[in-house]
């Protein structure tokens, strides 16, 4: 799909324009310069022709955290790969030296450049827009991303460039055999999430730094593997709210949590050299609460007791993870080194195993036979003066949200759901995993009491 890169100096409203063209809030909009650091991609929703928008970090940023060079590199990559460049300037600030330097830089781009004069909120600023013609890209299109002003003019400009590129779009779509997985890569800051994506892609796609909080947005990265187009969702590291020192970090954490909800499966990246932390457990709890399929990626395994034998290292890290994340016992794990690109292939091998197992759900007949045997082997305990829990029927239902990796809910119809005790539900979960292994897939029971209409039917 053709791509449209949005470039400009910091704080001219690139992310606001990106969100307006995408039709939803994806990039974080904040008056703090340098918020956007990675390239963020999303489909454009206001054009007639399909295309992908790319939001970039501000070029020429004077940041106090050492990211200036990396952000400029990200923008350069976007310019080299884009089919159209939207050069965004600020109508209120007028032409700056950074705008002039960027205009000179863009002349080396092979892609056409469309000047966009943002923050032209009134007629006075519209009249001043002609001043920007000195940059060498015409008078430009005066817009207000905040107010949605003149978005149709940008849409027309994009369609004009993109339409010839989309004439063979049907053939291009046939190349992609079927949609793959939406894979959320989550973990605490500095666990190596972006390094893992770069290792998978074999490309420096996302900024990697030892500075905590490098990734601020949830970045969707397409990745084709074995004929399927997957989406890798690189998320901001989730930290405890008490340790978040800015509103941008809070927004980033919230966006990471939303990424977990929309993913088909989560890769929980843990720095095994440091061990499982309280924050790792918190993220694992979010995955568990959202009932998401999960694969644990133990990163930096090369730093975990490097002088010991591998078998002993694996045994020790297994015991540690299973003890600290006992509630996420359904999630298998792989040991990798993203930085050294070691054992990266194991990630997709394990994902394939999880997906295959999920495509073979237990049948209703087998489920009822299994549960009947489990109840007979270990009957539920009855509290003094109460009835004993009795299973009437069981079936499995799959939430419509999960298509790539089906996640069933096992519905148990019983005489009185209040009689189900937590320890007995855990017993049924353990027995079901033994009888019908499904690595990476959570097991959820929905216990329902027999209602009055069922009683009437039984009497008939």
């Amino acid at each position: 799909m053709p791509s449209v890169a949005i470039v400009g100096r910091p704080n001219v409203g690139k992310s606001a324009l990106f969100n307006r063209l995408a039709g939803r809030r994806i990039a974080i909009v904040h008056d703090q310069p340098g918020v956007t650091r990675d390239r963020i991609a999303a489909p454009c929703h206001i054009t007639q022709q399909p295309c992908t928008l790319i939001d970039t970090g501000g070029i020429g940023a004077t940041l106090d955290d050492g990211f200036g060079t990396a952000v400029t590199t990200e923008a350069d990559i976007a310019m080299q790969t884009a089919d159209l460049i939207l050069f965004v300037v600020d109508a209120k600030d007028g032409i700056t030296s950074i705008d002039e330097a960027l205009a000179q830089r863009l002349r080396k781009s092979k892609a056409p450049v469309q000047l966009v004069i943002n923050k032209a909120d009134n007629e006075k600023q519209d009249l001043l827009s002609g001043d920007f013609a000195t940059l060498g890209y015409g008078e430009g299109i005066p817009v207000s991303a905040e107010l949605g002003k003149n978005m149709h003019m940008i849409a027309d400009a994009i369609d004009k460039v993109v339409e010839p590129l989309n004439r063979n779009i049907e053939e291009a779509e046939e190349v992609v055999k079927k949609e793959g997985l939406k894979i959320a890569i989550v973990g605490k800051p500095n666990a190596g999430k972006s390094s893992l994506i770069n290792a998978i892609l074999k490309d420096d796609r996302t900024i990697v730094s030892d500075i905590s909080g490098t990734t601020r947005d949830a970045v969707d990265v397409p990745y084709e593997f074995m004929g399927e187009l997957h989406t890798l969702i690189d998320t901001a590291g989730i930290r405890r709210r008490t340790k978040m020192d800015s509103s941008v970090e809070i927004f980033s954490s919230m966006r990471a949590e939303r990424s977990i909800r929309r993913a088909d499966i989560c890769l929980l990246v843990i720095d095994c050299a440091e061990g499982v932390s309280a924050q790792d457990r918190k993220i694992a709890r979010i995955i568990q609460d959202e009932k998401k399929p999960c694969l644990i990626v133990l990163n930096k395994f090369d730093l975990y007791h490097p002088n010991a034998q591998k078998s002993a290292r694996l045994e020790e890290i297994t015991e540690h993870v299973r003890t600290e994340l006992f509630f996420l016992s359904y999630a298998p794990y792989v040991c990798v080194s993203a930085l050294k690109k070691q054992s990266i292939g194991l990630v997709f091998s394990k994902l394939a195993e999880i997906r295959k197992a999920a495509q073979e759900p237990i049948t209703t007949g087998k489920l009822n036979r299994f549960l009947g045997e489990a109840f007979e082997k270990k009957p539920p305990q009855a509290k003094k003066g109460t009835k004993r829990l009795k299973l009437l029927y069981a079936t499995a239902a799959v939430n419509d949200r999960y298509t790539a990796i089906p996640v069933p809910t096992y519905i148990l119809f019983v005489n009185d759901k209040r009689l189900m005790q937590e320890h007995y539900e855990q017993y049924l979960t353990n027995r079901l995993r033994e009888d019908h292994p499904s690595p990476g897939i959570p097991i959820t029971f929905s216990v329902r009491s027999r209602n009055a209409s069922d009683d009437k039917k039984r009497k008939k």
Side-chain angles (χ1 to χ4, degrees), residues 183-188 191 193 196 233-238 256-257 259-260 263 265-270 280 283-284 287 294-295 297:
I183 306 169
I185 300 178
V186 297
K188 68 180 183 181
K193 300 180 296 298
L196 179 62
I233 308 172
D234 184 17
T235 63
I238 305 175
E257 292 178 16
S259 297
I260 291 175
I265 189 168
C266 298
L267 300 189
L268 174 56
V269 182
I270 293 175
D280 292 322
I283 300 168
I287 296 172
C294 180
L295 171 64
V297 179

Side-chain angles (χ1 to χ4, degrees), residues 132-398:
F132 287 91
T134 58
L135 292 174
Y137 296 101
E139 293 188 357
I141 302 175
V143 305
S144 172
E146 183 179 357
L147 302 177
K149 173 184 173 183
N150 289 341
M151 289 298 110
H152 67 284
M153 296 177 66
I154 294 185
D156 291 343
I158 294 174
D159 282 331
K160 184 178 180 180
V161 174
V162 169
E163 184 177 8
L165 303 175
N166 275 333
R167 287 174 184 166
N168 297 323
I169 194 167
E170 291 183 2
E171 295 179 10
E173 287 177 345
E174 292 177 1
V175 174
V176 181
K177 296 179 180 179
K178 56 181 177 178
E179 185 180 357
L181 303 173
K182 294 189 289 291
I183 306 169
I185 300 178
V186 297
K188 68 180 183 181
N190 229 22
K193 300 180 296 298
S194 294
S195 295
L196 179 62
I197 284 187
N198 289 341
I200 291 172
L201 299 177
K202 300 178 181 178
D203 175 35
D204 292 336
R205 171 61 179 79
T206 56
I207 298 174
V208 176
S209 171
D210 56 4
I211 301 174
S212 179
T214 302
T215 303
R216 291 266 177 91
D217 284 296
V219 185
D220 284 11
V221 183
Y223 174 60
E224 187 172 348
F225 180 77
M226 299 293 287
E228 289 186 317
L229 186 60
H230 301 286
T231 301
L232 306 178
I233 308 172
D234 184 17
T235 63
I238 305 175
R239 290 201 283 179
R240 285 186 295 171
R241 289 290 174 89
T242 55
K243 289 191 175 182
M244 295 181 185
D245 53 10
S246 74
S247 58
V248 173
E249 286 196 40
I250 294 174
F251 296 151
S252 298
S253 178
M254 292 170 61
R255 191 146 296 159
E257 292 178 16
R258 286 198 294 269
S259 297
I260 291 175
R261 296 188 187 101
R262 69 184 176 94
D264 294 314
I265 189 168
C266 298
L267 300 189
L268 174 56
V269 182
I270 293 175
D271 182 347
C272 63
E274 291 187 359
V276 177
S277 66
Q279 194 59 21
D280 292 322
R281 288 191 291 272
K282 178 185 176 183
I283 300 168
R285 285 289 186 189
I286 296 174
I287 296 172
Q288 182 198 36
D289 292 343
E290 292 296 328
K291 300 177 177 58
K292 287 295 182 177
C294 180
L295 171 64
I296 300 173
V297 179
L298 300 174
N299 190 28
K300 306 182 186 181
F301 187 62
D302 55 313
L303 303 179
Y304 182 75
H305 302 302
N307 297 324
Q309 290 186 345
K310 186 175 181 179
S311 58
R313 296 162 66 203
L314 287 171
E315 183 177 349
E316 184 174 337
I317 193 63
T318 298
E319 182 179 355
H320 173 68
V321 171
R322 291 308 176 210
T323 300
E324 296 295 327
L325 300 178
F326 64 92
F327 53 89
L328 207 65
S329 60
Y330 69 86
Y333 68 90
V334 292
C335 297
V336 306
S337 171
L339 189 62
K340 293 188 176 182
K341 298 179 174 57
Q342 295 175 351
S343 303
I344 302 301
L346 293 177
V347 174
F348 275 86
S349 296
K350 190 62 70 173
L351 285 176
E353 290 180 20
I354 294 172
R355 194 174 184 183
K356 182 180 179 181
Q359 304 301 325
E360 302 172 355
I362 187 171
T363 62
T364 300
K366 184 177 180 181
L367 177 64
N368 279 274
R369 287 192 298 273
F370 157 75
L371 290 174
E373 293 172 0
F375 269 73
E376 184 177 344
K377 184 175 181 179
K378 183 180 178 181
Q381 293 180 348
K383 293 183 179 179
K384 187 175 181 180
T386 63
K387 297 180 293 184
R388 188 185 299 273
L389 178 71
K390 293 182 180 180
L391 176 68
L392 306 175
Y393 183 72
T395 187
V398 177

Side-chain angles (χ1 to χ4, degrees), residues 426-441:
Q426 186 60 52
Y427 158 72
L428 295 177
T429 298
N430 295 338
R431 287 299 310 277
L432 186 57
R433 288 212 177 277
E434 293 173 7
D435 184 81
H436 189 77
S438 51
I441 308 299

